Amino acid sequence: MSAPDLRPLTVLIIDDNAPMREIIGAVLKSLGVRKIIEAADGVEALKAVTEREVDIIFTDLMMQPVDGLAFIRWIRTSPASSNPYTPIIMVTGHATRASLDEARMAGVTEFLAKPLTARGVLHRVNEVINNPRDFVRVSGYFGPCRRRRIDHGYEGDERRGIVGAALDPEDMY
């Protein structure tokens, strides 16, 4: 399998740490991405996504005044969002089970822990391009399917498609 051509993509990098934006940008450029937009926080990012089309978003978790979770929720649920289906990769140095669960519930597509590696960035980009997740709307959640393992033969009460179905955390990410 050949590597995807990333030249046509527009990627938004949101991080309050300028050197981290530069690192992610340098990795993306080495992978072939030519159109990179940077934002120092969620407010700048909201402006960026309303002004132009973005194909993939990398966002930090902890930022002020608007953090990554609030930004993701806006992208996924606001009527003003231009594309609630945009793949969002959460990048954080606070990679705890709680932060993973919060990001997943906000609608993150992929999760990437710092310190970053070029291989990790490439893997997440490949995942959102080559293995896109179906989007679901259930019990106040809208975003990519949170389950990694799907049992297509499952017939129980929590079968996808039942409104208000609970999701088993063990099947997520």
Side-chain angles (χ1 to χ4, degrees):
M1 180 172 95
S2 63
D5 180 8
L6 305 180
R7 289 176 296 185
L9 296 181
T10 299
V11 177
L12 171 61
I13 303 169
I14 313 161
D15 199 309
D16 56 352
N17 183 318
M20 184 53 63
R21 290 193 309 268
E22 291 173 17
I23 291 168
I24 297 170
V27 170
L28 292 170
K29 285 177 185 172
S30 74
L31 298 175
V33 176
R34 296 293 167 248
K35 293 178 262 178
I36 297 173
I37 304 164
E38 293 185 13
D41 60 49
V43 174
E44 280 186 34
L46 290 173
K47 186 173 188 274
V49 297
T50 57
E51 292 177 348
R52 63 191 67 105
E53 192 172 315
V54 174
D55 299 301
I56 299 174
I57 298 170
F58 282 80
T59 184
D60 188 23
L61 174 63
M62 308 288 269
M63 300 177 290
Q64 292 295 328
V66 175
D67 68 12
L69 294 174
F71 173 79
I72 293 168
R73 287 185 192 105
W74 185 89
I75 289 291
R76 297 290 186 237
T77 63
S78 173
S81 176
S82 60
N83 187 359
Y85 299 95
T86 303
I88 302 173
I89 301 169
M90 171 70 67
V91 181
T92 185
H94 306 279
T96 64
R97 180 65 183 186
S99 64
L100 172 63
D101 289 343
E102 269 192 291
R104 180 181 25 244
M105 293 307 290
V108 75
T109 312
E110 293 289 337
F111 200 82
L112 187 59
K114 293 176 185 174
L116 301 179
T117 64
R119 183 179 194 166
V121 172
L122 176 60
H123 176 71
R124 296 318 185 284
V125 170
N126 274 329
E127 282 297 307
V128 300
I129 292 172
N130 295 321
N131 299 309
R133 295 177 186 219
D134 291 335
F135 271 64
V136 296
R137 185 178 307 276
V138 61
S139 301
Y141 171 79
F142 174 73
C145 180
R146 297 169 286 191
R147 295 181 179 179
R148 287 270 188 203
R149 297 176 307 229
I150 298 175
D151 180 359
H152 294 288
Y154 180 76
E155 295 296 331
D157 290 339
E158 295 180 357
R159 174 82 179 153
R160 180 65 39 73
I162 297 174
V163 177
L167 297 177
D168 182 355
E170 293 301 314
D171 289 340
M172 299 178 194
Y173 287 88

